[in-house]
Amino acid sequence: MLLLAILAVSLAYQSGLNPPGGFWSRSTDHHSAADRILEDTHHRRFIAFFYLNAIAFVASIVMITLLLNKMASDKVTKRRALPITMIVVLLSLTGAFALGNCREANKTVFISVLVCSVLAYVLIHVLIAIHIIPPEWRRQVAEMLEHSVSHFCSVPCQFGHNHTGGDTSEKELGRRRNLLLTIAILAVTVTYQAGMNPPGGVWSDDQKATGTPGNPILQDTHPKRYDVFYYSNSVSFVSSVVVKILLVNKESCEYGIKSYALRVCLVAGLLGLLIAYVAGSCRNIKQSIYLSTIAMGVLVSLLIQVLLSSMHDTLGKPLAKCLGFLHDLLFHAEGEQVNTPVSPEASVDVRSEASVEVRPEASVVEEERVRKRHKYLMLLAILAASIAYQAGLNPPGGFWSDDKGHVSGNPVLRDINHRRFKIFFWFNSFAFMASIVVIILLLSKSIRKKAVPIGVLHLIMILDMLALMTAFAAGSCSKLRTSVYVYALVGCVVVILLLLIIVTSAIAKYWKPREGSGINSLRRPEPVSGANTSA
């Protein structure tokens, strides 16, 4: 509740101080400078947006205040006042989003219908999964998928996941709920801000501007591209808001997670983010085709993974050997650190198909270690996706606001320094696409069961961070020398960290035998063999 309230406060505060449509830059008879454009051009729409945004902001502040007081928090939690208030806040944000990111009534109605449609889909999905599909069929399908994944990867299933109650335990449901909530917060944050400040900017009251002040420039210069961006961004926002509404209630959260309905909504929201990024960050067909090809490659790779896991009888063993060889070749150091203790009675090869007896303590430690690494990778991917999405829709340098010698709404950096803009655009797009790939892979249950080596995901995130660094160097600097300084600074930081690691390792090796000798010197002398000593 506190996390959702903080999210709502940040979004409502930013959109309240910087409302959609911008501000007037000159004082005339009808308005003054710094007044809100949308208030004069679309008065009713702005009033509705203002009050809905204010309701979300004030209610979130009250929730945070109550949660900070333990006694008040216990009382409102027992009477379910907080979940009801949070649902009101999320619906208020949805209404403010529908009124602020467009100027047409049919698009506002579209978002309202979309909210009802997503809620109806989740309800139907849950009812079908619980009351219509027999439990025996669900159990058989789960066993077939688990057997397929484990046989295809030639590794045992992840420790701690059994057929009886591992996936339906309270602890496992809490972990899945936190995972879904984190991804939903990412999607809501970036899509809400992109809707309030659309790519290309809005028309100003400059005399050279040809459009209506406060309206999106991209809507007039590239109407089809703007429609694709608007509807994709809206689908991602609405699906994420619905997921958060359902996660607030414990019953709907449990049924939605078990039936995979919430996960389907989040995957649809992530695909909507991909399409919105392609439509909003490009201005020509070549760039759109390039990004669309990357997005289709992501979907095809996921489909191939599912098909290969289902055809384990024909392709499973050779492909598993190939994957094992590549994993040992690329991540040999990582594999040496993972030592799975095996009992003497069952000392068999780990890669064989025979069963391996694992000590419970080691299995719990291994499961917790893998889960933590998945969590860190998910947080890094969410961070990279959020900043890359915002930078792609609002690139450095801003947009042209008039039609004199250029096209309104096009990035200024693209016309002034085309090569630098291309470097920023390609590397930023790669970072965004790679982050979405990692998020979708970590949402898959087979990944948590080690269907893909975690070293591969580490490699993708390292390339992701390098791409973000390159995009930052190209977009934040205007000269080549300044861009080189960025890489030099990164190199200096890496060298300093390596030196610190070497020095601390040497100190640890130097003091370890001394500590051991000091401890041994303090021990009592062992009794002479044969002497009568008491127990």
Side-chain angles (χ1 to χ4, degrees):
M1 290 296 174
L2 185 61
L3 186 62
L4 292 176
I6 292 173
L7 167 69
V9 166
S10 62
L11 294 180
Y13 188 81
Q14 294 176 6
S15 58
L17 298 184
N18 296 291
F23 303 93
W24 297 106
S25 60
R26 297 176 300 169
S27 298
T28 61
D29 298 335
H30 303 285
H31 53 260
S32 301
D35 284 350
R36 291 156 292 200
I37 296 178
L38 192 64
E39 186 178 5
D40 296 330
T41 56
H42 301 81
H43 184 71
R44 293 182 179 178
R45 180 178 293 271
F46 175 79
I47 293 300
F49 162 80
F50 176 80
Y51 284 113
L52 289 175
N53 190 78
I55 289 173
F57 178 77
V58 173
S60 302
I61 291 292
V62 172
M63 287 184 61
I64 294 175
T65 305
L66 292 176
L67 288 172
L68 291 177
N69 189 352
K70 183 178 180 180
M71 183 175 63
S73 176
D74 294 338
K75 291 183 179 180
V76 296
T77 303
K78 290 180 180 179
R79 299 185 179 182
R80 297 201 173 188
L82 287 181
I84 297 174
T85 307
M86 179 50 62
I87 292 176
V88 173
V89 168
L90 293 175
L91 293 178
S92 300
L93 282 178
T94 305
F97 176 83
L99 294 169
N101 71 335
C102 63
R103 308 294 182 266
E104 303 171 3
N106 56 351
K107 292 184 178 179
T108 304
V109 174
F110 167 77
I111 295 180
S112 303
V113 174
L114 186 62
V115 172
C116 300
S117 302
V118 176
L119 285 174
Y121 160 74
V122 174
L123 180 62
I124 294 173
H125 189 137
V126 172
L127 291 177
I128 291 176
I130 294 178
H131 298 288
I132 296 180
I133 300 179
E136 293 78 10
W137 292 10
R138 297 199 300 267
R139 191 179 303 109
Q140 291 177 1
V141 171
E143 291 176 356
M144 290 174 59
L145 290 175
E146 185 174 357
H147 175 72
S148 174
V149 170
S150 61
H151 186 84
F152 170 68
C153 302
S154 298
V155 295
C157 294
Q158 185 175 348
F159 306 113
H161 291 274
N162 48 26
H163 298 284
T164 58
D167 291 339
T168 58
S169 63
E170 190 71 23
K171 191 175 182 180
E172 182 67 21
L173 287 175
R175 292 195 183 104
R176 296 186 187 181
R177 183 182 185 182
N178 293 334
L179 176 64
L180 297 177
L181 183 62
T182 306
I183 301 175
I185 287 176
L186 157 73
V188 168
T189 304
V190 297
T191 52
Y192 191 85
Q193 295 178 355
M196 297 295 108
N197 300 294
V202 295
W203 293 107
S204 62
D205 57 341
D206 191 1
Q207 295 179 355
K208 298 180 181 179
T210 58
T212 303
N215 284 3
I217 298 178
L218 193 65
Q219 186 178 7
D220 297 334
T221 58
H222 302 83
K224 294 182 179 179
R225 187 177 295 275
Y226 176 78
D227 289 340
V228 173
F229 162 78
Y230 174 81
Y231 289 116
S232 303
N233 192 75
S234 301
V235 168
S236 180
F237 176 80
V238 169
S239 60
S240 304
V241 168
V242 169
V243 168
K244 292 202 297 182
I245 291 176
L246 295 175
L247 287 176
V248 168
N249 189 12
K250 185 178 180 180
E251 289 77 11
S252 61
C253 167
E254 182 177 356
Y255 291 134
I257 290 176
K258 289 182 179 179
S259 62
Y260 295 93
L262 300 183
R263 192 169 300 180
V264 171
C265 292
L266 275 186
V267 171
L270 293 176
L271 295 180
L273 272 182
L274 287 175
I275 299 174
Y277 182 86
V278 172
S281 61
C282 308
R283 297 296 182 271
N284 53 30
I285 300 178
K286 185 184 296 185
Q287 293 177 345
S288 302
I289 293 176
Y290 173 78
L291 294 183
S292 301
T293 304
I294 295 178
M296 292 300 298
V298 172
L299 299 179
V300 170
S301 63
L302 294 176
L303 181 61
I304 290 175
Q305 179 190 356
V306 175
L307 293 177
L308 288 179
S309 62
S310 62
M311 296 186 298
H312 59 85
D313 292 333
T314 57
L315 300 176
K317 294 181 179 180
L319 193 57
K321 292 181 180 179
C322 180
L323 290 176
F325 174 75
L326 292 176
H327 181 266
D328 294 338
L329 182 63
L330 295 175
F331 311 103
H332 184 67
E334 178 184 352
E336 292 178 350
Q337 297 175 359
V338 181
N339 297 323
T340 306
V342 183
S343 59
E345 294 79 9
S347 58
V348 296
D349 188 10
V350 178
R351 295 183 180 273
S352 64
E353 297 181 1
S355 61
V356 180
E357 296 183 3
V358 185
R359 294 179 183 177
E361 296 84 0
S363 64
V364 172
V365 173
E366 173 69 12
E367 179 187 2
E368 191 66 24
R369 187 184 68 86
V370 173
R371 185 180 293 111
K372 286 182 179 180
R373 299 181 71 180
H374 284 172
K375 185 195 301 183
Y376 299 151
L377 287 175
M378 179 65 75
L379 292 177
L380 286 176
I382 289 174
L383 167 67
S386 60
I387 60 179
Y389 187 80
Q390 296 175 4
L393 298 186
N394 295 288
F399 304 96
W400 296 108
S401 59
D402 54 8
D403 298 331
K404 189 176 181 180
H406 38 257
V407 180
S408 298
N410 281 3
V412 177
L413 187 63
R414 179 190 170 190
D415 297 335
I416 294 178
N417 196 332
H418 186 67
R419 180 179 298 179
R420 184 174 292 274
F421 176 78
K422 286 178 63 177
I423 294 174
F424 163 79
F425 176 78
W426 297 129
F427 281 95
N428 188 78
S429 301
F430 174 81
F432 177 74
M433 298 293 178
S435 303
I436 296 296
V437 170
V438 172
I439 293 174
I440 294 178
L441 287 176
L442 289 177
L443 274 177
S444 175
K445 185 178 179 181
S446 60
I447 302 303
R448 296 198 306 273
K449 291 182 178 294
K450 302 179 182 179
V452 173
I454 196 171
V456 177
L457 300 181
H458 274 276
L459 180 61
I460 294 176
M461 287 309 304
I462 291 174
L463 296 177
D464 194 348
M465 295 294 109
L466 292 177
L468 278 180
M469 184 184 66
T470 306
F472 175 81
S476 62
C477 310
S478 59
K479 297 180 181 180
L480 180 62
R481 182 194 301 179
T482 315
S483 301
V484 174
Y485 287 161
V486 175
Y487 288 99
L489 181 62
V490 173
C492 293
V493 173
V494 173
V495 170
I496 292 174
L497 290 178
L498 291 177
L499 290 177
L500 287 176
I501 292 173
I502 294 173
V503 171
T504 53
S505 301
I507 293 174
K509 290 181 180 179
Y510 177 76
W511 283 105
K512 188 174 181 179
R514 288 178 171 270
E515 291 178 356
S517 60
I519 294 175
N520 292 330
S521 62
L522 294 176
R523 291 179 180 175
R524 295 180 178 179
E526 295 181 359
V528 182
S529 60
N532 294 328
T533 56
S534 60

